Amino acid sequence: GQQLNQSPQSMFIQEGEDVSMNCTSSSIFNTWLWYKQDPGEGPVLLIALYKAGELTSNGRLTAQFGITRKDSFLNISASIPSDVGIYFCAGIKTGANNLFFGTGTRLTVIP
Amino acid sequence: DARVTQTPRHKVTEMGQEVTMRCQPILGHNTVFWYRQTMMQGLELLAYFRNRAPLDDSGMPKDRFSAEMPDATLATLKIQPSEPRDSAVYFCASGLDSPYEQYFGPGTRLTVT
């Protein structure tokens, strides 16, 4: 099925650094969601975005709904070891019933 | 702390056997989704229910897979007969009134030998 492209595929950062990742598509979406998946667990919803240009925060996480509606961005400030995991973006097209998931960004935080 | 629950968490079975996976959505949620996750394909939607009615199962191999919601608190995904290529992690997710915010269970890791 169709997937959204996430970049980077993986990141290795020092504890305390800020992190930026993005999700792009050739299609327009009317909702963007960001999830985090820990090993052996299901994805956990972090942030939901519903309007183009919307900027939403959840603690140290900030996500933005791109103006073109074809992309979204996630930033993590002052990373900590428990931020380790795989971050997925997911989008919903107008009139669609299902989420399209991104390919994931694997984050490693070095203490 | 409301959560989606899935059983079993792990299942190892031989090719040809029937496999049944169960999901209890968050109480009050009326949409239920089944996904399959593999390294190669990522997360793929298999089936989607709203108010217990199947709305979309186009992602599911019809010849061997079936999904049902016997009641509002139970969703099942069956594979009969199972094949090695069905080995994956199967997730159930639930939501309220829309497909937007979906909350995932811990998954069932299926291995078919």
Side-chain angles (χ1 to χ4, degrees):
Chain A
Q2 177 177 350
Q3 285 190 324
L4 304 172
N5 297 312
Q6 283 187 248
S7 65
Q9 271 190 314
S10 62
M11 304 180 73
F12 291 81
I13 62 167
Q14 291 289 140
E15 182 177 356
E17 288 183 351
D18 296 344
V19 174
S20 292
M21 60 188 78
N22 64 56
C23 183
T24 61
S25 174
S26 58
S27 301
I28 290 175
F29 289 82
N30 65 2
T31 299
W32 287 97
L33 307 173
W34 283 92
Y35 287 86
K36 181 192 177 203
Q37 187 173 21
D38 291 329
E41 299 295 331
V44 173
L45 181 63
L46 300 174
I47 293 178
L49 303 160
Y50 299 106
K51 291 171 56 177
E54 180 180 354
L55 189 71
T56 298
S57 293
N58 178 6
R60 294 178 296 105
L61 278 61
T62 301
Q64 184 163 23
F65 192 139
I67 292 292
T68 65
R69 297 172 63 193
K70 294 182 178 181
D71 53 13
S72 181
F73 309 90
L74 178 69
N75 295 314
I76 306 173
S77 62
S79 59
I80 59 178
S82 62
D83 291 333
V84 165
I86 303 176
Y87 290 80
F88 290 98
C89 64
I92 303 175
K93 296 181 181 180
T94 302
N97 295 322
N98 56 299
L99 291 177
F100 292 99
F101 277 87
T103 47
T105 292
R106 183 181 295 273
L107 177 65
T108 301
V109 179
I110 303 167
Chain B
D1 185 21
R3 298 187 184 191
V4 175
T5 58
Q6 290 185 247
T7 57
R9 289 297 308 273
H10 303 273
K11 176 73 175 178
V12 180
T13 191
E14 292 183 348
M15 182 173 63
Q17 296 298 306
E18 177 179 301
V19 175
T20 298
M21 291 169 270
R22 293 178 175 80
C23 167
Q24 183 172 12
I26 292 173
L27 188 63
H29 281 188
N30 64 342
T31 57
V32 172
F33 304 82
W34 283 103
Y35 290 91
R36 175 171 61 187
Q37 186 177 40
T38 62
M39 288 294 292
M40 295 299 295
Q41 299 297 326
L43 272 161
E44 301 174 282
L45 178 69
L46 297 175
Y48 162 40
F49 291 78
R50 177 180 288 175
N51 297 325
R52 296 176 56 201
L55 291 191
D56 185 354
D57 60 2
S58 57
M60 200 163 65
K62 301 293 191 305
D63 57 338
R64 298 183 300 108
F65 284 60
S66 63
E68 295 179 344
M69 282 201 72
D71 60 61
T73 65
L74 177 64
T76 62
L77 180 66
K78 291 186 181 180
I79 308 174
Q80 169 62 27
S82 58
E83 298 180 2
R85 60 179 169 153
D86 300 330
S87 298
V89 181
Y90 291 81
F91 288 105
C92 172
S94 72
L96 182 61
D97 285 335
S98 74
Y100 301 132
E101 296 185 19
Q102 298 180 23
Y103 297 86
F104 282 75
T108 294
R109 181 174 295 276
L110 174 65
T111 303
V112 183
T113 61

